[in-house]
Amino acid sequence: MYYTSLEAMARKYERTERQYAFHPVDQAAHEAWRKEAAARLKEISGIDQCEAADLRPVKHSEVPMDGFVKEYWTIQTEPDIYMPFYLLRPGSPNGAAVIVPHGHGSGKEGTVSDFDNPGVAAMRQWFDKGCFAHDLARAGYTVACPDERGSGERREAGQQGDSPEAWTSNSHRELLQVAIGFGQSVIGLAVWDLMRLVDFLAEQPDIDETRIGCAGMSGGGQQTLWLAAVDERISAAVTSGYFYGMKESLVVLAANCPCNFVPNMWRTMDMGDMGAMIAPRPLFIESGEKDGLNGPSGLLNVYPQVETARSAFRLYGAQDRLQHSIHPGGHQWVGAGVIEFFDKWLLRK
Ligand SMILES: [Zn+2]
């Protein structure tokens, strides 16, 4: 006999009111709601407890590639906390930039398909389907590929090492357990770092700060969704493998990585509400029909969230700015139409 708790907690989720659930009224009400909701997300995730620091950007190296230059940079995101990232500089920059945060199982080396990295080599099947970051750079975009906290060169002591297993691991459990005592979260820390990366990009002479996008898969889709929800400087966003009802995907699938969990989130909003916060800025959602992270009811746990987001775009007569692309596969990046999406919305002005 087992006397478990999680099923009752899932029912409690259903009884719980989400204080910042979006209800469409008009544009003015949406704008007022969006600002309040962003402030609340920054509060519960601990973004507003992060400490400002001089960016101290340093370029450490550059390597010519086919059609672009791969630069290696660091910036300071909080006092004594540094974030390394690759910056892909296109031969002919188009004035726009895209941040590509990675998901679990790799760091920035996975984003740039660096098969010399033991972790990326071990996951070759995952990364060998073409390189979206390279494709973007060859299309003229400046592309920023950072390490998330706890991954890649930002792994904490317990996960460091050069074995494939070490490179594909992360320190999200340790970071969450320490962060939570400050009222913070891993996603809050990660989004703060990405906001500092936007600061850096906005200062680059060949980048127009009104043309900065973000695109990611899985944990990268999570970071993209959060960043675009709280930082209006993201002018277009692509989230893949991370847009579904939280009850099925995070409460029922309670063993997901600790970076998915934020104090008081279940009392605040669902994922469709986060999508509604991005409106009317263009949003591209990619879902895999067989993605197990959609939750037990699959796409039926995705559609209502997309509809919540769509209700916000409708207020602006901007339904064409919300694109939902469904592929027949599982938890994977396909990216069909994503470069066209950025071309349409970041280059049109
Ligand atoms: Zn994680």
Side-chain angles (χ1 to χ4, degrees):
M1 186 66 191
Y2 294 100
Y3 299 92
T4 61
S5 307
L6 284 173
E7 295 83 356
M9 292 171 83
R11 289 193 291 276
K12 180 176 179 177
Y13 180 99
E14 289 189 341
R15 295 195 304 274
T16 300
E17 186 186 346
R18 271 156 286 289
Q19 197 181 353
Y20 291 87
F22 176 63
H23 303 290
V25 178
D26 56 31
Q27 289 181 17
H30 172 265
E31 180 61 12
W33 166 83
R34 189 193 59 73
K35 285 187 176 144
E36 287 176 20
R40 180 60 176 156
L41 284 185
K42 287 180 183 172
E43 185 181 10
I44 64 171
S45 64
I47 292 173
D48 61 5
Q49 294 192 61
C50 289
E51 297 177 288
D54 182 354
L55 283 181
R56 294 187 197 161
V58 177
K59 184 169 86 173
H60 298 267
S61 65
E62 60 176 55
V63 179
M65 307 283 283
D66 179 15
F68 58 92
V69 175
K70 183 169 88 172
E71 300 178 351
Y72 178 91
W73 286 79
T74 53
I75 53 173
Q76 179 179 238
T77 60
E78 287 196 89
D80 299 324
I81 295 178
Y82 292 86
M83 178 166 71
F85 60 96
Y86 291 119
L87 193 67
L88 311 184
R89 298 262 197 198
S92 307
N94 62 17
V98 178
I99 298 172
V100 185
H102 63 81
H104 293 86
S106 84
K108 63 190 179 309
E109 282 71 23
T111 315
V112 298
S113 295
D114 175 2
F115 293 111
D116 292 334
N117 176 276
V120 181
M123 295 183 68
R124 189 165 192 117
Q125 274 187 307
W126 176 269
F127 291 112
D128 216 8
K129 296 168 183 155
C131 182
F132 173 62
H134 290 182
D135 292 346
L136 272 174
R138 291 192 184 111
Y141 292 88
T142 302
V143 187
C145 311
D147 270 340
E148 186 183 17
R149 288 200 200 200
S151 294
E153 291 183 291
R154 305 183 79 189
R155 286 169 289 156
E156 303 295 334
Q159 288 75 38
Q160 291 171 5
D162 279 322
S163 68
E165 294 75 22
W167 270 107
T168 53
S169 70
N170 65 65
S171 312
H172 286 178
R173 186 171 75 105
E174 289 86 337
L175 288 174
L176 190 280
Q177 289 178 179
V178 174
I180 207 166
F182 293 111
Q184 294 186 292
S185 61
V186 174
I187 187 64
L189 302 176
V191 169
W192 169 271
D193 289 351
L194 294 178
M195 291 164 76
R196 304 290 70 82
L197 186 54
V198 175
D199 294 345
F200 167 85
L201 293 172
E203 288 174 4
Q204 299 301 301
D206 52 354
I207 296 173
D208 175 347
E209 62 182 348
T210 68
R211 299 176 200 248
I212 297 176
C214 190
M217 160 69 196
S218 190
Q222 172 204 23
Q223 293 174 68
T224 299
L225 182 65
W226 272 82
L227 176 66
V230 303
D231 192 334
E232 282 184 275
R233 296 175 297 173
I234 298 301
S235 296
V238 177
T239 180
S240 174
Y242 202 88
F243 204 86
Y244 24 61
M246 290 186 183
K247 184 206 155 194
E248 280 198 27
S249 294
L250 299 179
V251 178
V252 174
L253 301 182
N256 274 340
C257 183
C259 65
N260 288 284
F261 300 95
V262 172
N264 283 308
M265 192 71 209
W266 314 151
R267 300 182 189 281
T268 301
M269 64 173 66
D270 209 335
M271 237 178 257
D273 305 307
M274 296 181 76
M277 289 174 69
I278 297 169
R281 289 170 289 143
L283 172 62
F284 186 114
I285 300 166
E286 181 176 85
S287 302
E289 205 177 320
K290 300 185 189 69
D291 186 345
L293 296 184
N294 290 334
S297 61
L299 288 176
L300 293 179
N301 189 40
V302 173
Y303 294 133
Q305 302 300 322
V306 176
E307 282 312 304
T308 299
R310 199 186 308 283
S311 70
F313 284 84
R314 203 173 280 128
L315 291 178
Y316 296 84
Q319 294 94 312
D320 61 329
R321 293 175 173 223
L322 175 64
Q323 200 168 332
H324 188 204
S325 176
I326 300 168
H327 63 75
H331 192 62
Q332 66 191 86
W333 170 268
V334 172
V338 168
I339 289 183
E340 293 81 356
F341 170 83
F342 281 132
D343 286 348
K344 180 172 182 181
W345 298 112
L346 290 182
L347 304 184
R348 72 196 171 94
K349 292 179 230 174

